[in-house]
Amino acid sequence: MNQDAKTRSQRAVRQLLESWQRSGVTYLRQMEPVSQMSADVPSVVEAPQEKPVQTVAPRASFPPQSIVPPPQSTETPEEPTLESDQARKEMSVPRTTKSKMNKGDRQAELEIIASQVSQCTKCPELAETRTQTVFGVGNPRAKIMFIGEAPGADEDKQGEPFVGRAGKLLDKIIEACQLKRSDIYIANILRCRPPGNRNPSDLEASNCRGFLDAQIEIVDPDYIVCWGSVAAKNLLHSDLPIGKMRGDFYEYGRAKVVCTYHPSYLLRNPSAKKNVWEDMIYLFADMGIDLKTQD
């Protein structure tokens, strides 16, 4: 196992342990496969070390200078991404191998989790005040996954994330990126509307985290966009403001994560739209797609 593979394994175990701590759930009987990864992986009985969010790419100036691929290196190439057709067994383990599950199987897995969500009463206040749960929508094999904070009044009525004013603005951003809403998978930190559209509490986010991790595992995106500080804080455990997190790639499992302003923030601060567009250019440049011609 080369150094990059060891680093990925260590990161995956750390994220797994932190997720268990947040949810208060233990799955020690499931830990045998993890302990076989490498002798360099921390023991599962050790308390996870608090570490800052890890970036996987340097901060770039905007717009990116070029998206032309660099010359081919003469060095030994990285190990290819491993693939797995094993369905997930738990809800708190970030994936480090590429899933081979077909679209139909992924949709079926998501529907099972959605059914569990619809019956969830872990947060009594949310369960009592919601009209319905808001699970997630989109392509179950999407390359890009969007994560927002929580449903609002319109989402609570319709049962779909990002359908209010902020959702309409998000649709325009998606269209500007030459994509359709159905090309992306969209979810939130919470699946119930907090009364008064307040921010999710830490306990509520923790109670709902297993469902989010399940969605990430099943969809298995290459890229995740955290829309707003609530999404970034809860996914990446960072208290940095979005303004300082922009322009970097972060890692969650095998996905690269970009953080940018929430569409509702753009409605209040229209001048920040150019910042979000820069973030989209940065993201798509990494995919080999030039959005600068759409400026």
Side-chain angles (χ1 to χ4, degrees):
M1 181 181 291
N2 63 24
Q3 187 59 41
D4 288 342
K6 290 178 182 178
T7 300
R8 287 195 298 270
S9 297
Q10 291 171 342
R11 184 180 63 252
V13 172
R14 184 174 66 255
Q15 290 174 335
L16 178 152
L17 291 171
E18 290 173 349
S19 184
W20 284 350
Q21 276 197 330
R22 290 191 305 275
S23 62
V25 178
T26 57
Y27 294 108
L28 294 183
R29 66 179 184 277
Q30 300 287 340
M31 291 304 298
E32 182 177 353
V34 176
S35 64
Q36 294 173 354
M37 281 184 185
S38 166
D40 295 326
V41 177
S43 167
V44 298
V45 298
E46 296 177 355
Q49 299 296 316
E50 289 293 332
K51 296 185 179 180
V53 176
Q54 299 182 13
T55 61
V56 296
R59 180 175 295 277
S61 59
F62 294 110
Q65 298 301 311
S66 172
I67 64 168
V68 178
Q72 291 293 324
S73 172
T74 57
E75 298 178 357
T76 304
E78 274 191 57
E79 292 182 338
T81 303
L82 299 177
E83 295 188 345
S84 171
D85 56 3
Q86 296 296 315
R88 57 176 296 104
K89 300 301 182 184
E90 306 296 352
M91 294 185 186
S92 304
V93 186
R95 178 179 290 284
T96 57
T97 58
K98 186 174 181 179
S99 172
K100 293 193 299 183
M101 289 176 65
N102 63 42
K103 188 174 182 179
D105 288 344
R106 295 187 202 212
Q107 185 62 44
E109 291 277 332
L110 288 169
E111 289 173 1
I112 291 172
I113 305 301
S115 177
Q116 296 175 6
V117 167
S118 68
Q119 302 175 51
C120 179
T121 57
K122 288 182 180 179
C123 306
E125 181 184 23
L126 303 190
E128 291 173 3
T129 58
R130 72 190 181 206
T131 301
Q132 59 187 312
T133 56
V134 182
F135 183 65
V137 294
N139 184 353
R141 293 188 66 181
K143 190 170 186 176
I144 304 173
M145 182 172 182
F146 286 175
I147 299 178
E149 55 183 61
D154 293 309
E155 290 78 12
D156 181 62
K157 291 177 182 177
Q158 299 184 40
E160 183 173 333
F162 283 100
V163 293
R165 289 182 62 215
K168 288 180 173 57
L169 179 54
L170 183 66
D171 288 343
K172 292 182 179 179
I173 295 171
I174 294 172
E175 182 179 353
C177 294
Q178 303 300 300
L179 293 174
K180 297 177 293 185
R181 188 179 175 98
S182 58
D183 294 325
I184 296 167
Y185 191 84
I186 306 175
N188 281 312
I189 293 298
L190 292 192
R191 275 128 208 85
C192 298
R193 179 197 180 198
N197 290 349
R198 61 167 172 76
N199 286 341
S201 70
D202 290 342
L203 178 59
E204 290 165 347
S206 176
N207 287 342
C208 220
R209 180 55 181 269
F211 299 129
L212 174 63
D213 279 344
Q215 289 170 296
I216 296 173
E217 282 287 309
I218 294 167
V219 176
D220 189 27
D222 295 328
Y223 297 90
I224 295 173
V225 180
C226 287
W227 294 93
S229 58
V230 172
K233 172 186 176 181
N234 282 281
L235 185 72
L236 300 174
H237 315 304
S238 172
D239 290 323
L240 289 174
I242 288 296
K244 291 188 177 296
M245 298 187 74
R246 293 182 54 246
D248 283 337
F249 277 124
Y250 302 86
E251 290 183 320
Y252 189 75
R254 72 173 200 86
K256 291 183 177 181
V257 183
V258 168
C259 302
T260 192
Y261 296 113
H262 194 282
S264 62
Y265 177 84
L266 303 184
L267 293 174
R268 301 189 302 271
N269 302 274
S271 62
K273 290 180 181 179
K274 64 181 179 60
N275 300 121
V276 171
W277 184 237
E278 289 170 350
D279 296 336
M280 295 299 103
I281 290 174
Y282 180 59
L283 167 64
F284 279 79
D286 193 71
M287 299 166 60
I289 300 172
D290 187 359
L291 291 181
K292 291 182 289 185
T293 58
Q294 305 298 320
D295 285 343

